[in-house]
């Protein structure tokens, strides 16, 4: 396990659910370009709960909501549960982590509706960074030599023999019965 001074992977939490990876990269790269190894972005989700007006909804603490249709509106929309976007960054040096945390911890992002999101920067729970696999599959490229595949390609290359239409088949059967 890495010691507290050797940690290089951080997570930035409480990002707006609608922020894109490119918009976030612009903000981070403005000050920390080239100082991190990898980025893993997880977009947020914003879900809405739609209710019809004639629905009775229990709001907790003994409160209930009764709504009747007004002005031709038949739907009532409540924000349900939103999950924030987050990003994992693996820095090259522990000093960069400290500088990044000082700059982005508590940084306020504003979404398109004007809602403010105050970010939290903390060490990632797992300091492991996924490795890129370079192991190749031994069967890669061998399908073109497979006899079953070659037979399948020959079958596809043959012209399709369509059956005669139902009218022609009916005329043939009637001719066989009459003849």
């Amino acid at each position: 396990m890495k010691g507290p001074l050797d940690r290089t992977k951080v997570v930035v939490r409480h990002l707006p659910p609608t922020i894109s990876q490119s918009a976030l990269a612009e903000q981070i790269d403005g000050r920390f370009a080239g100082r991190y190894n990898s980025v893993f972005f997880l977009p947020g989700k914003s879900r809405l709960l739609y209710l019809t007006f004639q629905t009775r909804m229990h709001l907790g603490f003994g409160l209930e909501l009764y709504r009747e249709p007004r002005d031709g509106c038949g739907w009532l929309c409540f924000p349900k549960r939103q999950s924030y976007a987050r990003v994992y960054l693996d820095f090259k040096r522990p000093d960069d982590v400290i500088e990044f945390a000082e700059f982005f911890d508590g940084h306020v992002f504003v979404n398109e509706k004007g809602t403010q999101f105050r970010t939290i920067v903390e060490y990632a729970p797992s300091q492991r960074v996924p490795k890129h696999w370079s192991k190749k599959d031994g069967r890669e490229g061998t399908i073109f030599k497979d006899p079953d595949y070659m037979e399948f390609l020959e079958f596809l290359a043959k012209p399709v023999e369509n059956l005669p239409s139902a009218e022609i088949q009916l005329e043939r059967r009637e001719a066989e019965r009459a003849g």
Side-chain angles (χ1 to χ4, degrees):
M1 185 171 154
K2 293 184 177 184
L5 299 176
D6 297 331
R7 295 181 182 176
T8 57
K9 188 175 173 187
V10 296
V11 59
V12 182
R13 301 182 191 275
H14 288 248
L15 292 167
T18 57
I19 194 167
S20 66
Q21 184 172 359
S22 59
L24 181 63
E26 283 180 21
Q27 297 235 351
I28 293 173
D29 286 342
R31 186 158 177 173
F32 296 96
R35 295 166 72 179
Y36 53 88
N37 294 321
S38 63
V39 177
F40 183 64
F41 177 75
L42 291 162
K45 296 177 186 170
S46 185
R47 297 180 214 102
L48 296 176
L49 175 65
Y50 293 99
L51 299 172
T52 61
F53 273 119
Q54 295 173 343
T55 302
R56 177 178 141 202
M57 184 175 160
H58 183 70
L59 299 176
F61 303 107
L63 301 174
E64 291 185 358
L65 175 67
Y66 294 93
R67 296 291 299 209
E68 294 296 323
R70 287 187 211 157
D71 302 327
C73 297
W75 293 94
L76 185 63
C77 179
F78 292 103
K80 189 177 178 185
R81 180 176 181 259
Q82 68 182 12
S83 63
Y84 299 105
R86 63 186 185 272
V87 66
Y88 292 87
L89 295 153
D90 180 39
F91 284 92
K92 294 180 180 177
R93 300 179 332 173
D95 298 338
D96 294 334
V97 171
I98 294 168
E99 186 180 342
F100 180 82
E102 287 174 355
F103 186 76
F104 272 101
D105 192 31
H107 184 79
V108 177
F109 286 88
V110 180
N111 70 357
E112 61 276 352
K113 294 180 182 177
T115 308
Q116 295 182 351
F117 296 87
R118 186 172 303 276
T119 61
I120 299 171
V121 177
E122 51 191 31
Y123 287 116
S126 172
Q127 289 293 309
R128 295 180 64 196
V129 178
K131 296 179 181 176
H132 298 287
W133 287 92
S134 61
K135 184 178 178 181
K136 293 188 178 181
D137 188 357
R139 297 172 291 182
E140 186 177 336
T142 60
I143 191 166
F144 299 111
K145 300 173 188 171
D146 185 42
D148 291 332
Y149 182 70
M150 300 291 282
E151 182 181 332
F152 173 71
L153 288 179
E154 289 174 10
F155 175 74
L156 286 179
K158 290 181 184 177
V160 179
E161 295 179 20
N162 292 328
L163 293 175
S165 68
E167 294 173 357
I168 295 173
Q169 288 181 17
L170 182 62
E171 288 174 5
R172 286 182 185 168
R173 284 191 185 169
E174 288 176 357
E176 286 175 5
R177 289 182 188 167

